[in-house]
Amino acid sequence: MSDQTTSAFDARHAWTTLSRKDPAKRSAHDRIADFLEIYGFYDEVEAREQASRCVQCPEPTCVAGCPLGTNIPEWLALTAEGHFAEAAAALHSGNNLPEICARVCPADHLCEAQCLISGQAQPVSIWAVEQFLNEYAFTHGIVKPSVAPPNGRHVAIAGAGPGGLACADGLIRRGFAVTIFDRRELPGGLLVYGTPEFHLERSIVQRRVELLRQQGVVFELGTPYAEETALPALLQRFDAVYLAFGAKVPRSLALPGADLNGVHQAVPFLLQAGVDHPGSKLLVGGRRVVVIGGGDTAIDCARTAIRRGAAETTVVYRRDAGSLPCMRRDYEAAVEEGVRFIFQATPVAILAQAAGGVTGLQLARTSMGAPDPEGRRPFEIKAGDSYILSADVVFLALGFDPAPPPPTSPSRLLDLGEHGEIKVNARQMTSLPGVFAGGDLVRGPCTALAAVRDARMAVEGIEAYVGTRKPLG
Ligand SMILES: Cc1cc2nc3c(=O)[nH]c(=O)nc-3n(C[C@H](O)[C@H](O)[C@H](O)COP(=O)(O)OP(=O)(O)OC[C@H]3O[C@@H](n4cnc5c(N)ncnc54)[C@H](O)[C@@H]3O)c2cc1C
């Protein structure tokens, strides 16, 4: 099908006759043999059909459900009409990293959860149309390096995660010179050093980084912000600074046995099973793995253990299946790949043999209470109702807390919240004029999309701020 208008699709009523169809997945048997992404892409006919399921409601609820407020109905309508280039341009104008967000964004909890037809039919497959448009845009040369005439201002960004990359893209498009510092050798932050490749292939992040380089963004990698590029020094050299170094610490478990050999945090395992492999030290092959938690990290960890040859992989989650915070499609993929789920159970002790290795967990059953005003259902441990689950390796995926900056850190120059998070105003400016911050660093654990949202606000803030200042001599 060509990129031309036809009237074959009625964009308002198609959902009554057309069912939702997600893109084809590779078979579970094939995909657990590698770390590649599991979904294919719509072809042009499928993309048009699925986009035509959007009812184009006058007050689009999906837009309200998107942290970026992306004009989703606009690019769905353009897709339904076959105007793929225009649709891709509309999508890319509202999001600096759409090809990344489409892969990792929890659409079923955000835009798709708000889709007007939900309840009467399956919501429009917004994430998959977005995936199609991104692929179309890159393969048809619609995404090009784009720069504005230089404005003579230079901004330093600390942290090359999604927040830092999105901020760099926004600034360079407005004529700023941009230098990003990151302590790691690869840009991408948790997108590269946390998210497994079956979720987001590293080449997708590299493609975006390459585009930013072509636009003139300078990457200074292997350079910790806290040392060579400390805040006061940055303020001498740059017109403004954006802090996006996402500091956070994984939560631990206060239980008997939590410090046993064989109990590990999930993220270091993901890191070494992904980027650092094959130098991996934490081996799970042939072992019984139990993952505690129910968020993205827990599911990613379980699916990684399966790919690394675990004999059995079980996720233990304290609430019911309907309360799982991870994406629904990831849960379904995990089940297909052989991950077992135990719901409404929580560990009360981790058990060991005399030599010290883990042998299992004592799990207490829980009961679910009525939803609170935010719809979250609390759980309670059922007294005296527990059992043993055998395990050789236990991974903790219990969420994160913001990491308060160390006493010597230049971040101490800034006003901090009670958990050590950096305080910002509506345009992401900290208490120190010219220093902006966003993403996990400010919010605690959040999402890539929220980091992009903060970066877009910061670009507005930085532009307004430097407009009031003389350029550095
Ligand atoms: C396992 C896992 C799975 C996830 N899955 C999803 C998902 O499916 N969908 C989703 O939306 N979100 C997911 N998230 C969360 C998401 O990855 C983060 O919310 C997002 O990456 C935050 O972006 P950021 O730019 O604020 O920080 P980060 O991505 O953490 O990037 C911070 C960068 O700063 C660098 N840095 C740190 N300290 C310094 C320093 N002193 N000097 C210089 N550089 C420094 C780091 O090396 C890093 O590159 C997941 C997280 C994890 C751990």
Side-chain angles (χ1 to χ4, degrees), residues 262-408:
V263 181
H264 308 275
Q265 285 291 345
V267 169
F269 170 63
L270 288 172
L271 199 157
Q272 66 164 37
V275 175
D276 288 355
H277 188 78
S280 205
K281 289 173 221 79
L282 215 170
L283 301 175
V284 296
R287 311 185 77 190
R288 296 163 302 177
V289 170
V290 171
V291 183
I292 315 288
D296 293 321
T297 306
I299 309 305
D300 287 350
C301 179
R303 295 175 68 196
T304 298
I306 291 264
R307 283 162 172 77
R308 288 280 169 247
E312 288 170 17
T313 304
T314 308
V315 171
V316 175
Y317 181 53
R318 57 195 182 172
R319 293 190 167 85
D320 60 355
S323 306
L324 269 178
C326 69
M327 278 188 266
R328 190 78 201 164
R329 64 176 191 263
D330 289 339
Y331 164 65
E332 288 166 1
V335 171
E336 289 162 7
E337 289 165 10
V339 177
R340 185 165 74 115
F341 282 77
I342 296 179
F343 294 107
Q344 292 187 238
T346 190
V348 287
I350 300 177
L351 312 171
Q353 51 187 222
V358 166
T359 56
L361 299 94
Q362 187 178 356
L363 297 181
R365 290 194 174 85
T366 67
S367 58
M368 300 292 294
D372 64 20
E374 280 153 18
R376 189 103 176 119
R377 294 182 65 194
F379 72 93
E380 266 184 28
I381 293 181
K382 291 183 185 172
D385 189 357
S386 71
Y387 61 103
I388 306 292
L389 174 68
S390 298
D392 304 310
V393 180
V394 176
F395 288 114
L396 307 179
L398 306 168
F400 302 87
D401 290 315
T408 53

Side-chain angles (χ1 to χ4, degrees), residues 131-156:
Q131 283 267 60
F132 163 82
L133 288 177
N134 287 318
E135 200 56 23
Y136 185 93
F138 277 98
T139 52
H140 288 75
I142 293 163
V143 185
K144 295 193 188 90
S146 152
V147 281
N151 65 11
R153 306 300 187 126
H154 198 170
V155 178

Side-chain angles (χ1 to χ4, degrees), residues 21 83 87 104 108 177 187 249 251 257 271 324 343-344 362 397:
K21 187 177 152 219
H83 293 298
V104 300
D108 55 345
V249 281
R251 286 190 196 129
L271 199 157
L324 269 178
F343 294 107
Q344 292 187 238
Q362 187 178 356

Side-chain angles (χ1 to χ4, degrees), residues 44-319:
E44 294 186 4
V45 173
E46 289 169 325
R48 290 187 63 176
E49 285 179 353
Q50 291 298 314
S52 74
R53 295 183 70 245
C54 172
V55 295
Q56 296 290 315
C57 42
E59 288 181 24
T61 43
C62 57
V63 176
C66 172
L68 295 184
T70 314
N71 194 344
I72 297 165
E74 182 189 14
W75 47 261
L76 286 177
L78 288 164
T79 306
E81 290 164 0
H83 293 298
F84 301 132
E86 289 88 339
L91 168 63
H92 283 245
S93 71
N95 186 344
N96 303 82
L97 309 174
E99 76 285 10
I100 288 168
C101 291
R103 287 170 164 85
V104 300
C105 181
D108 55 345
H109 295 298
L110 298 172
C111 55
E112 291 182 13
Q114 305 285 329
C115 177
L116 199 68
I117 62 173
S118 293
Q120 300 173 71
Q122 286 285 306
V124 177
S125 51
I126 298 171
W127 76 273
V129 176
E130 189 177 356
Q131 283 267 60
F132 163 82
L133 288 177
N134 287 318
E135 200 56 23
Y136 185 93
F138 277 98
T139 52
H140 288 75
I142 293 163
V143 185
K144 295 193 188 90
S146 152
V147 281
N151 65 11
R153 306 300 187 126
H154 198 170
V155 178
I157 298 177
L165 297 179
C167 187
D169 182 66
L171 290 170
I172 209 101
R173 287 170 187 276
R174 296 187 186 205
F176 288 86
V178 178
T179 302
I180 302 193
F181 300 91
D182 199 293
R183 69 174 171 192
R184 294 201 186 267
E185 296 299 330
L186 287 178
L190 284 175
L191 299 176
V192 165
Y193 287 97
T195 310
E197 289 204 75
F198 51 78
H199 220 147
L200 170 67
E201 284 178 20
R202 201 152 310 126
S203 60
I204 304 293
V205 180
Q206 279 165 353
R207 181 173 66 182
R208 175 56 65 174
V209 168
E210 190 46 41
L211 198 63
L212 289 169
R213 284 202 167 103
Q214 288 168 19
Q215 288 170 269
V217 175
V218 174
F219 286 84
E220 298 256 349
L221 301 172
T223 310
Y225 144 81
E227 295 163 24
E228 293 93 309
T229 56
L231 196 47
L234 288 176
L235 285 169
Q236 296 286 317
R237 287 173 54 201
F238 296 91
D239 294 281
V241 176
Y242 187 59
L243 302 178
F245 50 84
K248 54 191 183 177
V249 281
R251 286 190 196 129
S252 53
L253 198 60
L255 285 184
D259 53 355
L260 284 169
N261 194 3
V263 181
H264 308 275
Q265 285 291 345
V267 169
F269 170 63
L270 288 172
L271 199 157
Q272 66 164 37
V275 175
D276 288 355
H277 188 78
S280 205
K281 289 173 221 79
L282 215 170
L283 301 175
V284 296
R287 311 185 77 190
R288 296 163 302 177
V289 170
V290 171
V291 183
I292 315 288
D296 293 321
T297 306
I299 309 305
D300 287 350
C301 179
R303 295 175 68 196
T304 298
I306 291 264
R307 283 162 172 77
R308 288 280 169 247
E312 288 170 17
T313 304
T314 308
V315 171
V316 175
Y317 181 53
R318 57 195 182 172
R319 293 190 167 85

